[in-house]
């Protein structure tokens, strides 16, 4: 395992995050195959305003401008994802040279700007051709993912050292296979369990491929971690909150980092488990990628196959336009829990918030609520660090406004405002705040770890 790139004295790393389907656009260009999100976003009524990622932020053509803005604002690391169907339009077999060439140009531009590339292999855009063969519910998908990983590792491993296997596996499996609202739009507990297990197998196998192919690789996965609380304190809601906690917070890091499925999932998983599976899933990682936005409030409900649904936060808790409760103390709580449970260095790979940003006549975007959110959440992170939690870096979601899944373009998470009709980029006040934060952190060497 490589520890030199995240040694005990490494300076704290400040970055920004995005993902392929949410920003790239160019959905039908240069040989890209279809992904499950191309399909899903075309089902009427699934996405707000029936938006799609066809054009998104047109980052495929404007990546130079986006990288230049990161450089101008002093960003140290950029976490992006590679679109599997751009590299392998059918998900396996033929490799699309034009797709590989795009990420060559992007990675070279990132490096030339003095920024560290963090490459995520899977941020939800599964090739549709694989979905047509069962996608993650098919055990072979673990192998397809590992083979795709091999291509990416072989091609970019000379320049990229930080790889994440999957982004938020709990979110894309729960909403894609049990709770509704995300591609591929299946609602079935058995399918959910299969998908969870095959994503875990894919992760472990991909880690082995990355280790074999990339010198000095620094590897992890990106988990979405949120305290799950009963919305009101009844025995039924407590059970629902514990159930969601197992699926949401533990179903991936427990087998990947401890070699076990947590109760109550462990028993349910038996039919899908072959004898060496847990060994294959439990491969050494170098860091724990932690995404966090808010806590979950949970109620018992028979409207989903898991017997639970989302309830309301207490009335006095402020919310973002997504309706997500703003509670920085929950961030400190989950950082502490994941540090104690897994003992790996943590990188906060996503944190941020959506607000109804609008440019004002002075040509600026004064997004005070986002600045307050980021201040409160970074303060909570510093508190956790002061109490001994090993946090090595923090990435804001997102570099720029983008396609927010089922909310389409109606939610704006960016440090940069995107005027979609013209594709003009306008750095928000929060990006200036973030740049000052980076400068201060570098100058004072606080926080360092
Ligand atoms: C996370 C996703 C990311 C983005 C943010 C707001 O769950 O990883 O793609 O949508 O939420």
């Amino acid at each position: 395992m490589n520890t030199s790139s995240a040694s005990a004295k490494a300076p704290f790393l400040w970055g920004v995050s995005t993902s392929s389907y949410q920003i790239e656009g160019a959905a039908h260009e240069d040989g890209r195959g279809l992904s499950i999100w191309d399909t899903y976003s075309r089902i009427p009524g699934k996405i707000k305003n029936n938006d799609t990622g066809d054009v998104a932020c047109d980052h495929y053509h404007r990546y130079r401008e986006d990288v230049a803005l990161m450089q101008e604002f002093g960003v140290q690391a950029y976490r992006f994802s590679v679109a599997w169907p751009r590299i392998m339009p059918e998900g396996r077999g033929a490799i699309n040279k034009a797709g590989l060439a795009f990420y060559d140009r992007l990675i070279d531009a990132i490096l030339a700007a003095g920024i560290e590339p963090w490459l995520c292999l899977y941020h939800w855009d599964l090739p549709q051709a694989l979905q047509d063969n069962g996608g993650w519910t098919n055990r072979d998908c673990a192998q397809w993912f590992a083979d795709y990983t091999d291509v990416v590792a072989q091609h970019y491993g000379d320049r990229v050292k930080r790889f994440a296997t999957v982004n938020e596996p709990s979110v894309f499996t729960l909403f894609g296979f049990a709770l509704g609202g995300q591609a591929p739009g299946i609602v079935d507990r058995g399918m959910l369990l299969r998908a969870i297990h095959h994503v875990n197998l894919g992760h472990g196998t991909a880690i082995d491929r990355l280790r074999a192919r990339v010198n000095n690789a620094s590897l992890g996965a990106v988990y979405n971690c949120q305290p799950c609380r009963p919305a009101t304190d009844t025995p039924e809601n407590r059970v629902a909150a514990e159930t969601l906690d197992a699926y949401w917070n533990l179903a991936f890091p427990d087998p990947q980092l401890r070699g076990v499925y947590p109760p109550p999932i462990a028993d349910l998983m038996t039919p899908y488990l072959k004898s060496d599976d847990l060994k294959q899933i439990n491969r050494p990682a170098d860091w724990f990628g932690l995404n966090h936005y808010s806590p979950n409030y949970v109620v018992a409900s028979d409207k989903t196959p898991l017997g639970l649904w989302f309830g309301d936060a207490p009335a006095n808790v402020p919310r973002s336009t997504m309706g997500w409760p703003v509670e920085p103390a929950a961030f400190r709580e989950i950082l502490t829990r994941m540090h104690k449970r897994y003992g790996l260095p943590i990188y906060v790979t996503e944190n941020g918030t959506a607000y109804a940003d609008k440019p004002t006549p002075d040509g600026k975007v004064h997004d005070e609520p986002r600045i307050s959110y980021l201040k409160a959440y970074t303060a909570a992170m510093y508190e956790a660090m002061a109490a001994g939690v090993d946090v090595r870096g923090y990435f804001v979601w997102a570099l720029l406004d983008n396609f927010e899944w089922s909310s389409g373009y109606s939610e704006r998470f960016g440090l940069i405002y995107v005027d979609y009709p013209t594709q003009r980029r306008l750095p928000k006040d929060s990006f200036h705040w973030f740049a000052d934060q980076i400068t201060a952190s570098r100058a004072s060497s606080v926080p360092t770890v």
Side-chain angles (χ1 to χ4, degrees):
M1 262 207 305
N2 168 53
T3 45
S4 61
S5 54
S7 76
K9 294 201 184 70
F12 195 85
L13 194 67
W14 296 97
V16 291
S17 286
T18 62
S19 87
S20 45
Y21 189 73
Q22 294 179 277
I23 66 164
E24 285 179 2
H28 307 290
E29 255 179 85
D30 292 344
R32 175 185 176 277
L34 288 180
S35 80
I36 54 173
W37 274 92
D38 295 293
T39 309
Y40 187 76
S41 63
R42 277 185 168 66
I43 304 173
K46 291 291 186 198
I47 312 288
K48 194 150 182 198
N49 303 317
N50 292 319
D51 288 338
T52 73
D54 280 5
V55 178
C57 310
D58 195 29
H59 175 77
Y60 189 77
H61 300 112
R62 293 167 197 265
Y63 69 92
R64 283 189 195 286
E65 182 184 352
D66 295 335
V67 172
L69 282 165
M70 284 190 267
Q71 184 178 26
E72 183 186 330
F73 283 76
V75 169
Q76 295 169 303
Y78 177 43
R79 174 178 167 253
F80 62 98
S81 75
V82 167
W84 186 347
R86 232 185 247 297
I87 304 287
M88 301 171 99
E90 298 293 309
R92 52 191 163 150
I95 295 169
N96 176 29
K97 289 215 172 82
L100 281 177
F102 166 65
Y103 297 105
D104 274 326
R105 296 194 292 278
L106 175 64
I107 289 164
D108 290 346
I110 296 167
L111 289 168
I115 296 168
E116 185 182 15
W118 282 55
L119 190 159
C120 180
L121 284 148
Y122 186 77
H123 200 125
W124 307 359
D125 41 1
L126 186 79
Q128 180 60 41
L130 298 185
Q131 186 59 42
D132 297 341
N133 284 288
W136 288 113
T137 65
N138 182 340
R139 192 176 162 99
D140 291 345
C141 202
Q143 205 53 46
W144 301 333
F145 180 61
D147 292 345
Y148 150 69
T149 299
D150 232 12
V151 174
V152 172
Q154 217 175 344
H155 199 83
Y156 306 112
D158 57 335
R159 288 156 288 164
V160 178
K161 300 297 167 192
R162 302 277 199 172
F163 289 88
T165 54
V166 288
N167 176 74
E168 296 192 357
S170 61
V171 173
F172 79 76
T173 54
L174 275 169
F175 291 100
F177 296 93
L179 304 179
Q182 292 204 358
I186 293 167
V187 176
D188 181 292
R189 196 180 70 171
M191 294 294 189
L192 169 69
L193 292 165
R194 279 170 197 273
I196 290 173
H197 189 53
H198 303 150
V199 170
N200 275 324
L201 270 176
H203 160 87
T205 316
I207 290 275
D208 286 348
R209 300 288 184 96
L210 289 161
R211 293 263 182 241
R213 290 267 183 221
V214 182
N215 287 332
N216 295 321
S218 177
L219 309 179
V222 171
Y223 311 97
N224 187 18
C225 307
Q226 309 190 218
C228 295
R229 303 173 178 161
T232 53
D233 194 16
T234 65
E236 295 78 17
N237 290 351
R238 259 180 266 145
V239 170
E242 274 166 31
T243 305
L244 187 64
D245 182 57
Y247 282 97
W248 194 288
N249 291 317
L250 310 177
F252 294 90
D254 263 19
Q256 292 176 13
L257 304 172
R258 293 156 52 119
V260 288
Y261 276 107
I265 296 173
D267 287 348
L268 300 173
M269 209 48 109
T270 320
Y272 311 109
L273 228 63
K274 293 201 180 163
S275 59
D276 282 338
D277 282 4
L278 285 167
K279 259 195 237 147
Q280 182 54 56
I281 291 169
N282 178 209
R283 313 304 296 145
D286 300 302
W287 44 267
F288 184 101
L290 189 151
N291 291 359
H292 176 84
Y293 293 88
S294 60
N296 283 322
Y297 288 89
V298 192
V299 291
S301 158
D302 53 18
K303 95 178 196 197
T304 67
L306 299 185
L308 56 88
W309 192 241
F310 299 92
D312 288 331
N316 59 343
V317 172
R319 291 152 202 245
S320 71
T321 49
M322 295 288 286
W324 295 351
V326 177
E327 283 185 72
F331 187 29
R332 190 184 57 221
E333 175 187 325
I334 201 78
L335 282 167
T336 308
R337 179 178 178 205
M338 295 307 171
H339 166 70
K340 288 199 175 135
R341 191 170 180 94
Y342 301 112
L344 281 173
I346 292 175
Y347 286 91
V348 175
T349 32
E350 286 182 26
N351 176 239
T353 189
Y355 285 107
D357 306 311
K358 272 205 182 85
T360 41
D362 60 2
K364 305 208 157 133
V365 180
H366 302 298
D367 57 338
E368 271 309 315
R370 179 170 295 96
I371 296 175
S372 307
Y373 176 101
L374 294 173
K375 274 188 185 162
Y377 274 71
T378 49
M381 174 179 74
Y382 297 151
E383 282 169 24
M385 291 166 73
V389 177
D390 183 7
V391 186
R392 305 276 176 102
Y394 173 93
F395 292 67
V396 175
W397 181 271
L399 169 64
L400 68 176
D401 295 339
N402 60 67
F403 176 82
E404 178 45 39
W405 308 115
S406 59
S407 304
Y409 298 99
S410 68
E411 296 288 350
R412 293 182 175 274
F413 272 90
L415 294 176
I416 299 172
Y417 182 89
V418 177
D419 178 49
Y420 293 109
T422 61
Q423 290 291 349
R424 197 170 149 236
R425 273 63 168 149
L426 207 56
K428 301 177 191 177
D429 286 359
S430 56
F431 207 2
H432 292 276
W433 173 84
F434 191 53
D436 291 346
Q437 182 76 11
I438 299 171
T439 311
S441 161
R442 292 180 94 163
S444 71
S445 75
V446 173
T448 54
V449 287

